[in-house]
């Protein structure tokens, strides 16, 4: 562009400026346009100038929001004209003017983006009010937050979203035409404190609506790429009520007739071929010549394939905001398609919940549970963003509001759309806003209800007339929840740890295998329903695998008495049970910890057990003293056990200390604290089975001679063996090995201090040869039979 300036200056608001001309086809570099000649130049309101100064000089990385704000403004304008047309149909017009849409076009030569809507448009006065001044009281608050380092992405909620265009623009033109004004106006600004308004006599007639031309900064040239803008529309404006089109190019192949030159050339070749044919086949019949001519005519190509570039308007937002409709009007297939569009997942959702919340804060939401968990679901658990998207009036605001759902429900995908959510404050304030807390509370409750319904689907069919169908449906429903549990069960356990207010609801969602149901998952409610009469505790044991737990010595008496024991094999189960102490008024009891009670003993059994403990008291004290010499910091007590049946002894921990499984888990931690671990390990108790032959034999040795060292060593070895069987790790394995070898020596009749044997001496090789020759039988030469030499075969020679 070329420009000329006027030297005339006036005290009024009118100045002369160079006229903007179309860029020529020359190689000159494109120059930004300037204000139109004779345009009315105005100064921005002071607050607008401050705002634009912050925007232009900002270093915010999220410049993408400019497109969201402009499309949102266009959508509002279209809503207004549609509303006006309800009472006055002529406002909407006819034909193309009645098609309410937003159109985006890129001009790479002029480095500009144009966004056009067919909304209400603006008069000259409305341009001044909407683009030159700000009447909303929230602007000052926004400016203060921005100067403190607030979030630019919330700019639209203050009514100043249009100015976000200066994040990417050096110069902006707004052409607009309102039904209430016969004149089409153009607004121009460089964001230098002034803007110009003039009658638009050169631009394309809009009929009605607004077109915004954005001349991009050098550092914002990436927005000239079609894919970039398409991604932004898909992210921020996918569910806008009106269609959004983009002017796009694509390559197409088509068949076109062959040009005349090609036809003439083919005719000459044909004549030469005909002459040759006449010489070679002069004597052939006429009908044969005609057939050959026809064949040649058919073989000649009449068209050819060419590739050309075609431009057309392409729809960008074909997804509909189905959450605005009633759930009774929506088919399951529509929910599935919406989920796939929203999450970019190829699979159908496992289940979903569509609801509308009313009250202090009104919003609509659809929540989905994916069919499977992503492989990195628990990587960076506390740093990962929520999968919920927040919309305000169908305009995407953010997917980074972790306050909408707690971390343990971050696998739930969906949208929340509120028309009343106040966002005219900074994000830091919003996080503590009571409205957001209300939304979170309702979302969590609905999410847990959705999971509960999924878990209870198998129990809904009770029609006796269709038992076979109900059974099949029940099995399918159970399999569905089992799939959920395998994918997201760990998240429910994390919820029990983190969410005290919903702990009871979450406990009902737990599933596990038990001693009576080793192959089918069971709930706590099902466990309680089949508890034995008089049972006062819910028994469980935690370990590395179900196979190991089934053979655990801790469960011998429990299984013998017919109690059901829950198997926990997930490392997080230990942490979960530290927070879940009871269910339905029944306490949880860890079978691997001391003071376990069965609750079914009568008074006679209690008296008998008390007398037994008194009888063995000297023996257990002797055993404890023997252990203290080798394990002074690890032994709490030695006592008679009520949980053993076939095992001689086990090692248990205190009620509040780490179990063997928890010690194993903590040892595997890369950043574990040894001092804390030593404290939490606590001291251990050896429980002995006084009926076992090994224990009885050791007591006989104690009764015979309590000071015998071999008896004490046997007591220590039995304790160490019980440690290993109970799942603990022996720190001083060398001392244990030494004691075991001493026992083996005694059993095999080898003296304890027997010296090592001397090295075995082997004879030299020469001596071996000599001995072999001496030991070989000697034959008398005279008596030896003569051996005739045979002539070798010729071929061998």
């Amino acid at each position: 562009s070329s420009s000329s300036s006027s030297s005339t200056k006036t005290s009024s608001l009118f100045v002369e400026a160079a006229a903007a001309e179309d860029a020529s086809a020359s190689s000159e570099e494109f120059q930004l346009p300037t204000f139109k000649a004779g345009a009315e130049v105005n100064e921005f309101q002071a607050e607008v100038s401050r705002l634009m100064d912050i925007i232009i000089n900002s270093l915010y990385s999220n410049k993408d929001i400019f497109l969201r704000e402009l499309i949102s403004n266009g959508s509002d304008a279209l809503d207004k004209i549609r509303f006006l047309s309800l009472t006055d149909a002529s406002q909407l017009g006819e034909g193309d003017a009645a098609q309410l849409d937003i159109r985006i076009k890129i001009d790479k030569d002029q480095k500009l983006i144009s966004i056009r809507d067919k909304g209400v448009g603006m008069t000259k006065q409305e341009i001044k009010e909407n683009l030159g001044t700000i009447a909303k009281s929230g602007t000052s608050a926004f400016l203060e937050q921005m100067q403190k380092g607030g979030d630019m992405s919330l700019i639209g909620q203050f009514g100043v979203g249009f100015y976000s265009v200066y994040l990417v623009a050096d110069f902006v033109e707004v052409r607009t035409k309102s039904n209430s004004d016969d004149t089409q106006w153009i607004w121009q600004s460089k964001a230098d404190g002034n803007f110009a308004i003039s009658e638009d006599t050169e631009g394309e007639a809009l009929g009605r609506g607004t077109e915004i031309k954005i001349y991009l900064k050098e550092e914002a040239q990436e927005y000239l790429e079609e894919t970039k803008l398409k991604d932004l529309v898909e992210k921020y404006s996918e569910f806008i009520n009106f269609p959004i089109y983009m002017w796009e190019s694509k390559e197409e192949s088509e068949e076109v007739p062959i040009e005349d030159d090609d036809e003439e050339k083919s005719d000459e070749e044909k004549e030469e071929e005909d002459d040759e044919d006449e010489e070679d086949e002069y004597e052939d019949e006429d009908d044969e010549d005609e057939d050959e001519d026809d064949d040649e005519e058919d073989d000649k190509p009449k068209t050819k394939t060419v590739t050309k570039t075609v431009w057309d308007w392409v729809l960008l937002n074909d997804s509909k905001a189905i959450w605005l409709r009633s759930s009774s009007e929506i088919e399951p297939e529509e929910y599935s398609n919406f989920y796939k569009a929203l999450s970019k997942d190829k699979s159908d959702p496992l289940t979903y919940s569509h609801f509308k919340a009313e009250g202090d804060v009104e919003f609509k939401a659809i929540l989905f549970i994916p069919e499977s968990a992503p492989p990195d679901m628990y990587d960076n658990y506390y740093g990962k963003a929520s999968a919920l998207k927040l919309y305000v009036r169908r305009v995407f605001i953010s997917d980074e509001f972790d306050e909408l759902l707690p971390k343990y429900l971050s696998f739930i995908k969906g949208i929340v759309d509120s028309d009343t959510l106040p966002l005219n404050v900074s994000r830091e304030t919003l996080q503590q806003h009571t409205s957001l807390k209300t939304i979170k509370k309702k979302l969590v409750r609905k999410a847990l209800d959705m999971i509960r319904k999924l878990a209870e689907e198998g129990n809904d069919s009770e029609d006796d007339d269709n038992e076979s169908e109900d059974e099949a449906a029940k099995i399918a429903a159970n399999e569905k929840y089992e799939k959920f549990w395998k994918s997201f069960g760990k998240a429910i356990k994390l919820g029990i740890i983190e969410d005290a207010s919903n702990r009871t609801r979450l406990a009902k969602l737990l599933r596990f295998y038990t001693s009576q149901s080793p192959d089918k998952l069971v709930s706590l409610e099902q466990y309680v329903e089949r508890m034995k009469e008089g049972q006062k505790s819910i028994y469980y044991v935690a370990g590395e695998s179900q196979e190991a737990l089934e053979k655990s010595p801790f469960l011998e008496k429990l299984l013998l008495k017919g109690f059901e024991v829950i198997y926990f094999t997930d490392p997080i189960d230990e942490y979960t049970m530290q927070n879940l102490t009871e269910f339905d008024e029944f306490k949880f009891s860890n079978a691997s910890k001391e003071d376990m009670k069965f609750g079914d003993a009568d008074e006679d059994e209690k008296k008998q057990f008390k007398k037994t403990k008194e009888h063995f008291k000297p023996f257990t004290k002797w055993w404890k003293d023997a252990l203290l010499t080798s394990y002074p910091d690890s032994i709490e007590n030695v006592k008679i056990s009520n949980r053993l049946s076939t095992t001689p002894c086990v090692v248990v921990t205190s009620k509040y200390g780490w179990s063997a499984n928890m010690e194993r888990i903590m040892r595997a931690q890369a950043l574990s604290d040894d001092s804390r671990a030593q404290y939490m390990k606590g001291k251990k108790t050896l429980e002995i089975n006084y009926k076992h032959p090994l224990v009885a034999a050791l007591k006989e040795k104690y009764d015979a001679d309590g000071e015998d060292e071999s008896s004490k060593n046997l007591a220590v070895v039995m304790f160490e063996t019980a440690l290993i069987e109970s799942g603990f790790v022996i720190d001083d394995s060398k001392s244990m090995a030494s004691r075991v070898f001493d026992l083996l020596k005694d059993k095999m009749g080898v003296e304890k201090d027997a010296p090592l044997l001397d090295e075995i001496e082997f004879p030299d090789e020469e001596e071996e040869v000599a001995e072999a020759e001496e030991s070989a039988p000697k034959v008398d030469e005279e008596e030896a039979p003569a051996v005739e030499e045979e002539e070798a075969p010729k071929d061998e020679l």
Side-chain angles (χ1 to χ4, degrees), residues 665-691:
I665 294 170
M666 295 308 296
R667 282 176 179 270
Q669 302 299 315
L671 302 176
S672 58
D673 185 353
D674 291 339
S675 59
R676 181 173 180 271
Q678 193 62 36
Y679 171 77
M680 290 303 298
K681 282 181 183 177
K683 293 189 176 183
K684 301 172 178 62
T685 296
L686 176 67
E687 291 191 2
I688 61 174
N689 181 3
Y690 67 93
K691 296 180 181 180

Side-chain angles (χ1 to χ4, degrees), residues 130-294:
N130 294 335
L131 302 185
T133 61
I134 301 175
K136 293 201 174 185
S137 59
T139 307
S140 297
F142 174 74
L143 290 171
E144 291 173 6
Q145 290 297 332
M146 288 298 300
Q147 288 170 341
K148 293 177 182 177
D151 190 350
M152 177 65 69
S153 68
L154 298 181
I155 183 173
Q157 309 309 318
F158 296 85
V160 291
F162 168 78
Y163 300 103
S164 64
V165 71
Y166 289 103
L167 288 168
V168 298
D170 276 330
F171 189 87
V172 178
E173 287 183 351
V174 179
R175 300 174 186 272
T176 184
K177 170 68 171 63
S178 171
N179 283 338
S180 57
D181 190 343
D182 294 333
T183 304
Q184 179 170 307
W185 298 95
I186 179 169
W187 179 96
Q188 297 172 303
S189 175
K190 291 183 180 178
D192 57 358
N194 297 323
F195 64 89
I197 303 177
S198 61
E199 185 175 343
D200 185 15
T201 57
E202 300 176 1
E204 177 188 354
L206 299 178
R208 185 196 68 245
T210 301
E211 180 183 28
I212 302 174
K213 287 189 175 181
I214 307 163
Y215 293 86
L216 296 174
K217 298 177 181 179
E218 282 298 325
E219 62 270 21
Q221 299 299 307
E222 59 181 309
Y223 296 103
L224 292 174
E225 298 299 327
E226 293 175 1
T227 54
K228 175 70 174 179
L229 293 189
K230 287 172 67 176
D231 291 342
L232 293 182
V233 171
E234 183 178 348
K235 179 178 180 180
Y236 290 107
S237 309
E238 185 177 11
F239 301 108
I240 288 290
N241 260 356
F242 304 96
I244 302 173
Y245 293 95
M246 177 177 283
W247 187 246
E248 287 188 29
S249 64
K250 61 180 179 179
E251 301 293 329
E252 286 189 354
S253 298
E254 65 175 358
E255 297 290 328
V256 297
I258 295 178
E259 297 177 359
D260 295 339
D261 293 341
D262 296 334
E263 291 180 0
E264 290 176 2
K265 182 178 178 182
S266 61
D267 289 341
E268 293 175 359
E269 292 175 352
K270 179 184 174 184
E271 290 177 0
E272 292 177 0
E273 291 174 359
D274 289 343
D275 293 340
E276 293 176 0
D277 291 339
E278 288 177 2
E279 292 176 1
D280 296 338
E281 301 177 2
Y282 181 78
E283 296 178 356
D284 291 346
E285 297 180 358
D286 292 340
D287 57 345
E288 291 180 359
D289 291 338
E290 291 177 1
D291 291 339
E292 289 178 4
D293 291 341
D294 292 340

Side-chain angles (χ1 to χ4, degrees), residues 75 82 99 129 187 197 220 246 264 292 348 357 368 487 497 499 590 605 622 638 678 690 717 724 750:
S75 175
R82 184 168 60 179
Q99 302 299 319
E129 292 175 355
W187 179 96
I197 303 177
M246 177 177 283
E264 290 176 2
E292 289 178 4
D348 293 331
F368 296 95
S487 297
I497 298 171
D499 191 355
N590 190 338
E605 290 176 336
W622 168 83
V638 178
Q678 193 62 36
Y690 67 93
V717 170
I724 296 173
V750 178

Side-chain angles (χ1 to χ4, degrees), residues 562-672:
F563 291 109
E564 187 173 13
V565 183
I566 297 171
Y567 296 143
F568 286 134
T569 56
D570 194 335
I572 199 175
D573 290 333
E574 287 276 3
Y575 299 94
T576 303
M577 298 315 296
Q578 290 174 12
N579 293 273
L580 187 65
T581 57
E582 64 177 44
F583 178 79
D584 203 9
E585 299 183 357
F586 291 99
K587 296 283 185 181
F588 284 94
S589 179
N590 190 338
S592 66
K593 295 196 172 183
E594 65 178 351
D595 293 333
M596 187 178 68
K597 298 176 182 179
F598 300 104
D600 62 344
D602 56 24
E603 289 299 322
D604 293 338
E605 290 176 336
K606 291 179 181 178
K607 289 180 181 179
Q608 176 66 24
F609 187 67
K610 186 175 181 180
K611 290 178 181 179
T612 302
K613 289 195 292 184
E614 286 295 325
H615 174 73
F616 282 91
K617 193 171 184 178
F619 175 58
T620 54
K621 184 180 182 304
W622 168 83
W623 200 330
K624 177 182 176 181
D625 293 339
L627 296 179
L628 287 174
T629 57
S630 301
Y631 296 91
D633 300 324
S634 301
I635 299 302
E636 177 69 28
N637 202 359
V638 178
K639 59 171 65 173
I640 301 300
S641 177
N642 66 340
R643 78 181 79 210
L644 297 177
S645 176
T646 59
T647 302
C649 52
V650 293
V651 177
V652 298
T653 55
S654 64
K655 187 175 181 180
Y656 300 103
W658 283 348
S659 64
N661 186 56
M662 191 64 179
E663 280 194 24
R664 176 184 65 83
I665 294 170
M666 295 308 296
R667 282 176 179 270
Q669 302 299 315
L671 302 176
S672 58

